[in-house]
Amino acid sequence: MKPIAVLLVTAALSLSGQDAAVGARVHGLLPMGDLKDAANSPLGLGAAVFVTLPHSGGLVLRPVLGLQYLPQGNTAALPGTKTSVTSVDFMLDALWFPNEDPDRGPYLVGSVGGQQWRVSATGASPSTQTATRLGLGGGLGYQLSPRLGVEARGFWSPVEKNLTATGLMVAAALKF
């Protein structure tokens, strides 16, 4: 998945000319549902790198290569077992600025892409499972300055038959 991500980002940069900007995002995760039950972690962390590709009408495309981590927690359904969850993502964000100014103001964000999930359990019931699945997300953002933006978004991905990753993310994005 990583060579494909590098190829797509390189192609996007060559098509976009000088309007493209490289950036980084850090975010906190609040797992919900199955994901919260599996890891029993109250919070997770993540980071990503991205390229912004301005388009017309307030639309900005943003290929994103990211990483999420939920620390090891006691698994509620399996006493004596601790589970951690990680994912590596290659997503495409679409940002829409209703005021058509991608340097300032509110925006809507939607995401679609692939996520490589890893669920690792240790203790009484050790196991490691990996799966590559579709990931979706969406939310609201605010571009504070041409370089700094903040976002609140939800995410969803069907990791396994009995595990769907859902939750909320709060992020800060910095363009270089």
Side-chain angles (χ1 to χ4, degrees):
M1 182 161 29
K2 289 179 186 176
I4 293 171
V6 171
L7 179 64
L8 289 174
V9 169
T10 303
L13 280 174
S14 66
L15 292 175
S16 66
Q18 295 182 1
D19 291 338
V22 176
R25 179 179 76 201
V26 294
H27 51 269
L29 300 169
L30 178 63
M32 303 173 101
D34 297 340
L35 189 58
K36 183 178 179 182
D37 293 342
N40 200 21
S41 297
L43 296 173
L45 299 172
V49 293
F50 60 83
V51 177
T52 60
L53 306 168
H55 204 272
S56 62
L59 180 64
V60 175
L61 298 178
R62 186 170 69 182
V64 179
L65 182 59
L67 168 61
Q68 278 67 245
Y69 173 70
L70 290 172
Q72 203 170 52
N74 293 321
T75 306
L78 299 169
T81 302
K82 292 183 179 274
T83 303
S84 66
V85 179
T86 59
S87 76
V88 175
D89 314 332
F90 182 64
M91 307 290 281
L92 178 63
D93 290 351
L95 288 69
W96 177 65
F97 292 81
N99 63 358
E100 296 189 7
D101 181 4
D103 289 336
R104 293 204 188 280
Y107 60 89
L108 297 175
V109 61
S111 301
V112 64
Q115 296 183 293
Q116 174 73 43
W117 291 95
R118 181 179 174 93
V119 181
S120 300
T122 60
S125 298
S127 68
T128 299
Q129 298 167 335
T130 59
T132 301
R133 299 288 187 257
L134 172 70
L136 300 173
L140 303 169
Y142 195 87
Q143 193 68 33
L144 300 167
S145 72
R147 295 177 56 126
L148 180 63
V150 293
E151 297 177 0
R153 58 189 348 188
F155 63 90
W156 174 88
S157 181
V159 179
E160 300 172 353
K161 182 180 178 183
N162 296 323
L163 176 62
T164 301
T166 57
L168 300 174
M169 178 189 302
V170 176
L174 180 65
K175 290 189 278 184
F176 302 109

